[in-house]
Amino acid sequence: MIVFLLTVFLVATFGSFALTFLSRRIAQTCGAIAVPSGRRRHLFPTPQLGGVGVGIALLVLLVVGIHQGLFLDRVIQMQQLWGFALGITILLVVGALDDLYDWPASVRFSLYALASLIVVLAGTSVHAITCLNGQVCSLFWWQSQLV
């Protein structure tokens, strides 16, 4: 199992790396170049669409994990995984279209909110996070103050 997980990780890592360079070539062909301006703070023209490579690699990893049953347990359900996949897809498409057409922030924010809403409606919630020191931090600390 460890060998399989390591293989999936390495394929996703190198796939992301390769797809990012491919997306750079596509950006140069499509003209998705960030020219320094008010919103773009690059020092020189920079190809965009790098998130496409990373996003595709993440989606492939998620689909392979779903197919192999790696993510399913008592906590994570199939509908949550597909909610993540749909949310990631929306973020990927919106990011790519913004790189190509320079969408206004209001449009991007609305679509990002839609992606988040889909993930939440799929049944995902976060009650605690693990801090860098390994301690679990509750996101509902204020509830203890009400009692």
Side-chain angles (χ1 to χ4, degrees):
M1 182 65 153
I2 295 294
V3 172
F4 176 74
L5 292 175
L6 184 60
T7 303
V8 169
F9 171 76
L10 290 175
V11 168
T13 300
F14 289 114
S16 175
F17 185 75
L19 287 170
T20 300
F21 277 102
L22 178 63
S23 64
R24 179 184 177 131
R25 300 271 180 167
I26 293 170
Q28 291 169 336
T29 303
C30 295
I33 306 293
V35 179
S37 66
R39 180 177 168 199
R40 313 286 184 194
R41 301 201 184 258
H42 302 286
L43 297 177
F44 49 88
T46 306
Q48 298 181 318
L49 299 176
V52 173
V54 175
I56 290 173
L58 181 60
L59 280 173
V60 168
L61 178 65
L62 185 61
V63 169
V64 167
I66 290 170
H67 186 266
Q68 295 295 322
L70 296 177
F71 303 127
L72 296 176
D73 61 13
R74 292 177 292 157
V75 178
I76 300 175
Q77 299 173 359
M78 185 64 76
Q79 71 182 23
Q80 292 172 306
L81 293 173
W82 287 116
F84 275 121
L86 184 55
I88 291 167
T89 302
I90 290 171
L91 296 178
L92 179 65
V93 170
V94 169
L97 290 174
D98 177 51
D99 286 347
L100 291 170
Y101 302 112
D102 201 19
W103 284 0
S106 60
V107 172
R108 286 179 288 141
F109 180 77
S110 299
L111 293 169
Y112 293 154
L114 174 65
S116 301
L117 182 63
I118 288 170
V119 172
V120 170
L121 291 176
T124 302
S125 60
V126 179
H127 300 281
I129 58 173
T130 303
C131 299
L132 293 176
N133 63 3
Q135 180 181 0
V136 176
C137 302
S138 172
L139 298 178
F140 296 102
W141 57 269
W142 53 270
Q143 286 181 338
S144 64
Q145 303 299 321
L146 298 176
V147 179

